[in-house]
Structure formats: structure tokens, C-alpha cells
Amino acid sequence: MQLHDVWFVLIAVLWTGYFFLEGFDFGVGVLTKLLARDRTEKRVLINTIGPVWDGNEVWLLTAGGATFAAFPDWYATLFSGFYLPLLLILVCLIIRGVAFEYRHKRDEDRWQTNWEHAIFWTSLIPAFLWGVAFGNIVHGVKIDQNKEYVGTFLDLLNTYSILGGLVTLTLFTFHGAVFTSLKTVGDLRDRSRTLATRLGAATAALALVFLGWTQVSSGDAKSLVAMAIAVIALVGALACNRAGREGWSFALSGITIAAAVAMLFLTLFPNVMPSSLDDAWSLTVTNASSSPYTLKIMTWCAGVATPLVLLYQGWTYWVFRKRIGTQHIVDVH
């Protein structure tokens, strides 16, 4: 395996880690409207992800940086062609971070309500748009012979990509509901399990159509195996959720995300951005990659830094592993 193939796999792993971790905190943000009945319960939900949400975003920064360094043509075409949706995602992530920090700075109802609205929408919009973006990457976009995107914003809003957006939105919200049941106690835990069952059923229906469409259009035996793992893991997550085994349910919902991402990257390889105009104009791991020397330096750096990051983030989750409930929320009034 050559280094550009290795870095394609590593970038897939980074996106898997991002969707696994940021997926559940996007889901929790959406649940602040769907699940929480009052401000105290919203505070509980936000507190479940409070210590970890910013660390989860490191995976996105690393995936973007790795793409820029390892596949500069892929990065350039992706960020120029998908400029508006990616800018919207970036703005949402900025506002979302500010909302987490500013919501509790003042006690006025209007102040806190506005920031809570911001948390909901800036969680829902990226959760949907990431599916739209990856749907277009896998399905193919209008790339010319100069490796430039020549389509419009409306070209990105096709049936396949919108379906992909609905899949990521429901899957992340389901993942967040399972995480909430794992991290909370009492009535909130019970209601999150009930909601997770409903969300899981909706996710399964949408995911079967989307993954099946992907498999038929560009899949092979390896992607079929990944699809089967995703479906089986999702069914297992639903079964464990109904049985009250939140830990197993969360692990299996994470495997669902990992297998689904793996399937998309397997159908993509050796392309990194297929051209819908001419297959010969597609960006591949070969024609879009950096020099072998650059990839070699990146590999050494990643080998040193990655274990340290994983250890630190794992330690963070271990420290904040306990469940919380409304009884742990201090009434500031």
C-alpha cells in the first residue's frame, strides 16, 4: 500500500471519529428541543456534553488539515465547490460554541432562551449538511478537466444528497438520545430511551434506502459487508436500548456510524471526488495527492501526535463518566 492510499484510509478514520463523537453532541443539541421539558432538563442535556464537545471538534480540524496537506487538489476543489454549505457549517459551529459559553452568563429568560434556540439550530443544520456534503462527494459532482467544480449551489441539493442529509440528521439524533440515556438518571433517562426507539426506527428506514442506493450505484463486495455491519449494528443498538443496556446500545450506534462511513469511503476509493461530467476528470488518490516526501513527513508526525491526543481525550471521557440528573442542577435563583 502506497502512502497516498494510507492517508486516504487515515482521513476516513478521522471522519469516522468526528462523526462518532460530534454526532452524539449534535444529537444532544437537537434533543434540547425534542426531549427537554423545561430549562433544568435542558441544562442537564447541555452538561452531559459540556466537558467534551470542544474536544470532539478537534477531529474535524484534523481531518481538514490532513486533507489539505495530503490531498491539496481534493481540498481546493471541495472547499471552493462546496463553499456555501461549508461556510454555513463553520458559522454554525462558531455560534454553537459561543452559545454553550454565553447561555449561563445572565439569568434573564429571554437571554437564555435565545442561546438555547441557537444551540438547537446550530446542532441540527450541520448534522443535516454533513450528510448533504458527503452524499455529493460519493455521488459525484461537476468537475471539469482543470479539477475545478463548475456546478452551482443548487446542483448540490439533489435527491441523493438530501436523503444523505436526512440520514445523518436522524442517525446523529438517535446517537445523541442513546448517549443521553447513558449519561442521565430518572425520568429523563426513561424518556430518552423511548425517543431513541422512535428515532432508531426512522433512521433504519432512511438508512436502508440511502445505503442501498449507494451500493447499487457504486458498491462492491467490501462495501456490501460494511453496509451489512451498519444495518446489523443499528438493529442491535435498538434491541439493547429497549433492554436498558445503554452502554451496549451506544457502542453499537457508534459502530453503525463507523460502518456507514467506511461504506461511503469504500465506494469512493480510488476516487476522492468523482466527476459527474467525465470519469477521466475525477480526482483520485493519485492525481490529487501531495508528493511522497510530504506524505512521509506527515506519517511520522501523525505517528507521534495521534496516540497523545487519543490518550488525553480518553482520559477526559473517563473523568466525566458519571451520570447526572435534574437533582444535580443547582438553582441559581
Side-chain angles (χ1 to χ4, degrees):
M1 180 181 289
Q2 299 186 43
L3 280 179
H4 52 66
D5 297 330
V6 171
W7 273 98
F8 179 84
V9 174
L10 291 177
I11 289 172
V13 170
L14 290 171
W15 280 110
T16 300
Y18 175 67
F19 288 144
F20 180 95
L21 297 173
E22 190 87 308
F24 72 73
D25 71 46
F26 280 149
V28 171
V30 174
L31 292 176
T32 57
K33 291 290 187 185
L34 300 183
L35 181 64
R37 291 176 175 172
D38 53 37
R39 177 147 295 144
T40 301
E41 290 191 348
K42 289 180 181 179
R43 290 174 64 188
V44 172
L45 291 177
I46 293 171
N47 286 353
T48 62
I49 60 174
V52 299
W53 68 266
D54 48 353
N56 294 343
E57 291 185 356
V58 171
W59 290 79
L60 172 61
L61 298 176
T62 308
T67 304
F68 171 77
F71 300 99
D73 287 333
W74 182 13
Y75 181 93
T77 304
L78 175 64
F79 278 78
S80 60
F82 293 19
Y83 182 82
L84 285 178
L86 292 180
L87 177 63
L88 182 56
I89 290 174
L90 178 60
V91 171
C92 285
L93 294 179
I94 293 171
I95 295 174
R96 188 168 180 264
V98 173
F100 283 135
E101 299 297 332
Y102 275 44
R103 183 191 57 84
H104 64 282
K105 296 298 184 182
R106 290 167 59 180
D107 296 335
E108 290 87 345
D109 286 341
R110 183 176 180 181
W111 173 271
Q112 295 195 2
T113 298
N114 287 338
W115 287 119
E116 287 162 2
H117 286 319
I119 290 172
F120 170 75
W121 287 108
T122 57
S123 298
L124 184 148
I125 292 172
F128 174 76
L129 287 180
W130 279 127
V132 172
F134 271 83
N136 279 291
I137 291 173
V138 173
H139 198 56
V141 291
K142 294 180 179 179
I143 299 175
D144 65 10
Q145 66 271 26
N146 297 318
K147 302 180 182 179
E148 295 181 359
Y149 177 73
V150 293
T152 65
F153 173 72
L154 293 179
D155 290 328
L156 302 178
L157 300 178
N158 52 75
T159 304
Y160 179 82
S161 65
I162 291 175
L163 179 59
L166 293 174
V167 170
T168 53
L169 176 59
T170 54
L171 179 56
F172 290 169
T173 309
F174 167 70
H175 196 41
V178 173
F179 178 79
T180 300
S181 66
L182 177 64
K183 290 288 293 180
T184 58
V185 295
D187 181 59
L188 190 58
R189 174 190 178 188
D190 295 334
R191 284 189 283 114
S192 64
R193 284 175 52 198
T194 301
L195 182 59
T197 299
R198 298 171 183 171
L199 289 168
T203 301
L206 292 169
L208 279 174
V209 177
F210 178 72
L211 296 180
W213 187 346
T214 305
Q215 178 63 30
V216 170
S217 61
S218 54
D220 55 15
K222 294 179 181 178
S223 62
L224 182 60
V225 171
M227 175 182 171
I229 293 173
V231 172
I232 293 171
L234 181 56
V235 172
L238 281 167
C240 290
N241 177 69
R242 290 180 62 88
R245 302 295 299 272
E246 292 99 343
W248 281 103
S249 182
F250 180 70
L252 288 169
S253 66
I255 291 173
T256 301
I257 293 174
V261 174
M263 179 188 178
L264 295 182
F265 274 90
L266 285 169
T267 57
L268 191 59
F269 186 81
N271 294 322
V272 293
M273 281 192 75
S275 172
S276 60
L277 300 178
D278 190 328
D279 288 341
W281 297 343
S282 297
L283 299 181
T284 68
V285 293
T286 303
N287 65 23
S289 69
S290 294
S291 67
Y293 184 69
T294 300
L295 297 178
K296 185 177 180 179
I297 294 176
M298 290 176 60
T299 304
W300 280 105
C301 293
V304 174
T306 302
L308 298 177
V309 173
L310 292 175
L311 285 172
Y312 172 76
Q313 195 162 25
W315 176 78
T316 303
Y317 277 91
W318 174 256
V319 170
F320 296 100
R321 67 189 181 279
K322 292 185 179 180
R323 295 176 182 267
I324 62 174
T326 53
Q327 68 270 27
H328 299 117
I329 300 299
V330 178
D331 186 356
V332 296
H333 299 290

